[in-house]
Each structure stands twice: as structure tokens, then as C-alpha cells.
Amino acid sequence: MIIKKVGVVGCGLMGGGIAQVCAESGYETIAREINEELLEKGIKAIKANWDKAVSKNRMTEDNRGLAIQKLKGTIDMKDFGDCDIVIEAAIEQMDLKKAIFAELDSITPANAILATNTSCLSIIEIASATKRPEKVLGIHFFNPVPAMKLVEVIETISTSKESMETGIDFSQSLGKQVVKAKDSPGFIVNLLLILFLLDSIRAYEKGLATKEDIDAGVKLGLNHPMGPLTLTDLVGLDTTYHIACAMYEETADPKYAPPVLLKQMVTAGWMGRKSGKGFYEYK
Ligand code: CAA
């Protein structure tokens, strides 16, 4: 299947990054937000990334111009009516995702692929909201999308071989390295990452070490690019909390139960980098 036009549901941290790499890779791209204010914020952030790329000589002025032409924004899902693939990057709530997929199913061409960027939710459950489960799969990007090389392409028990092939070819055409995963909680990366983040938060919560020393230990002792508490701030405390809750609900394994401190910080509105405060403060 040839992909020409890509729809992205959501233009926040993840959706914006996905729309950016799609437009940069030459696809007609349309990103949808729930209101004009969020849309403008999302498109502005993408353009700022392109300006930065030009100033660092990673992108030519011409290519920035081309990418800008390829990118459109909308607040109307009906604008996905001629998309060949739509990637959903809304917040991690099953009811919301099912409502979005039911709407996409009624709007997009019958042969369009519907992909979710969910980090943890059951993709077959999301697919059950459509009449085309064979065309539903996971395409899971990592944050920050433009900088991270990996994409997990995830197949459910209903995803067709052809849809998987299209999802893999498309992800590779964005310059990403693909790993194939099954539709099980956390797929490959979050299955491992979320426990690591939760255990780091528990260590801090118990007062075993300062946040700076936990981060320095992992950064310098394991050669990770950032420590786990800094990484939780990057991923978003709310996102980490939602993933932990979803994995706990799905597996009933207490190791995924979110630490009380994480819940308290999310309740206080401390979402990490995006809100200006998490384990650390950001300007
Ligand atoms: N948007 C776009 N590009 C960005 C970026 C952003 N927000 N942040 C950094 N980059 C790019 C920079 O432009 C730079 O590119 P060039 O080298 O081509 O100029 C490159 O990334 C490196 O950036 P910096 O030099 O500014 O900073 P750094 O070397 O400290 O790297 C980092 C920053 C890439 C974020 C690095 O610290 C890192 O890899 N951290 C770990 C990130 C990680 O683990 N992400 C996965 C999170 S889990 C997830 O996303 C899955 C999920 O479902 C929860």
C-alpha cells in the first residue's frame, strides 16, 4: 500500500513530534488538536524545532520550506477523510481512544491503516471500536520523537500481514529503526522501562538517596543519557502514572502499582518538564 497522506490525532509532545517527522519525510501531514489554542501551540513548537535544525545546519532552508508546506493543522477530524494512515497520539484513556477510533473508522477510506501510539493500552481493545481490526496496529514512537531512532510496530491477534508490512515500511521511511512487538502490556520497551522508573521513584520516596544521586548513579554508573527521575520528568509524570495504572490493571501484578508519591505529584499538577515542575524545576 502506498502512503501519501498521514493524519495525526493530537499535536502535543508525541503527536507534534510524529507530525514533524512525517512532514520532514515528505508526507502530506495533517495534525488535529481539540481546539485552536492547542493546535497553534503544537504547530509553533514544530516550526521552532525546524528553525533550530536550520540554525544547527541539520536542515536546509529549502527543506524547512518544503516541510512547512507539507504540514497542515485542523481541529476537525473530518479532514482525515483522504488519509492513507492515521496515527492516534491522544492521552492514555481507553474510552477516549475507542471513541476516536470509532470516529476514524467512519471518516477515513476503507483501506486506510489506523495506528495508535499508545504506550501501554490493549490495541485489540482499541481495534474493537472499528469494523476493520485487520487494519489496526500500534506504531509506538519515543520521546523526543525527532531524536529517538526507535519505533515499535505492534501487531494484535487481528492485524493482517499486509498492515504490518505497511506499518513497518512506513516507519522505516521516517528514518526509524523498527522492532516488532506483540500486543501485550508495555510491548517491549515500556515492559522494562516502567518498572525501572517506578523502582527509582520508590527508592527516592523511601529516602534511600537524593534524587540527584539516584540520577547521577544511573547516568554515570550505567552510561544512560539521563537518570530515571530526569527521564520521568521528560516522559511526563502523568503519562508514567497512567502507564503504570494501565499495566497494573491489565496484569494485576503489584510491581506495576504506582508509588503514592507519583500519584501525589500528579494530583498536585507536577507533570514534569511540560508543566515546569516534576522531580526538578524547569524554566
Ligand atoms: N525535540 C526535537 N529534538 C530534540 C529534542 C526535542 N525535544 N531534544 C533533543 N533533541 C535533539 C537535539 O536537537 C539534538 O540533535 P542534533 O544532535 O542533531 O543537534 C539531539 O536530540 C541531542 O540533543 P541535545 O544535544 O540537546 O541534548 P542531549 O545530547 O542531552 O540529548 C536527549 C537529549 C536526546 C533527550 C537525551 O538526553 C536522551 O536520549 N534521553 C533519553 C530519552 C529517552 O529515553 N526517551 C524515551 C522515553 S520513553 C518513551 O518515550 C516511551 C513511552 O511510551 C513512555
Side-chain angles (χ1 to χ4, degrees), residues 40-92:
E40 197 182 318
K41 192 174 163 203
I43 300 282
K44 206 170 147 190
I46 296 174
K47 289 185 176 164
N49 276 344
W50 284 334
D51 290 345
K52 195 170 152 204
V54 170
S55 72
K56 283 181 152 187
N57 286 327
R58 276 191 290 109
M59 188 181 214
T60 64
E61 296 265 3
D62 284 354
N63 284 344
R64 172 175 59 184
L66 287 174
I68 289 172
Q69 273 177 25
K70 294 282 179 193
L71 180 67
K72 301 271 177 306
T74 183
I75 54 166
D76 189 351
M77 290 271 266
K78 292 201 179 63
D79 289 337
F80 290 143
D82 56 350
C83 285
D84 304 299
I85 185 168
V86 179
I87 305 166
E88 168 273 322
I91 55 171
E92 297 284 19

Side-chain angles (χ1 to χ4, degrees), residues 13-14 17 20 24 45 49-50 52-53 56-58 92 117-120 140-148 152 186-187 189-190 193-194 197 219 224-227 230-232 234-236 239-240 243 273:
L13 206 57
M14 295 306 287
Q20 177 181 332
E24 276 171 21
N49 276 344
W50 284 334
K52 195 170 152 204
K56 283 181 152 187
N57 286 327
R58 276 191 290 109
E92 297 284 19
N117 180 56
T118 184
S119 311
C120 58
H140 182 216
F141 292 81
F142 292 81
N143 181 18
V145 178
M148 301 297 285
E152 290 176 309
F187 318 124
V189 176
N190 280 340
L193 173 69
I194 291 302
L197 298 185
K219 203 173 158 186
H224 286 205
M226 45 175 56
T230 308
L231 181 56
T232 308
L234 176 77
V235 168
T239 305
T240 307
I243 298 173
R273 220 179 254 209

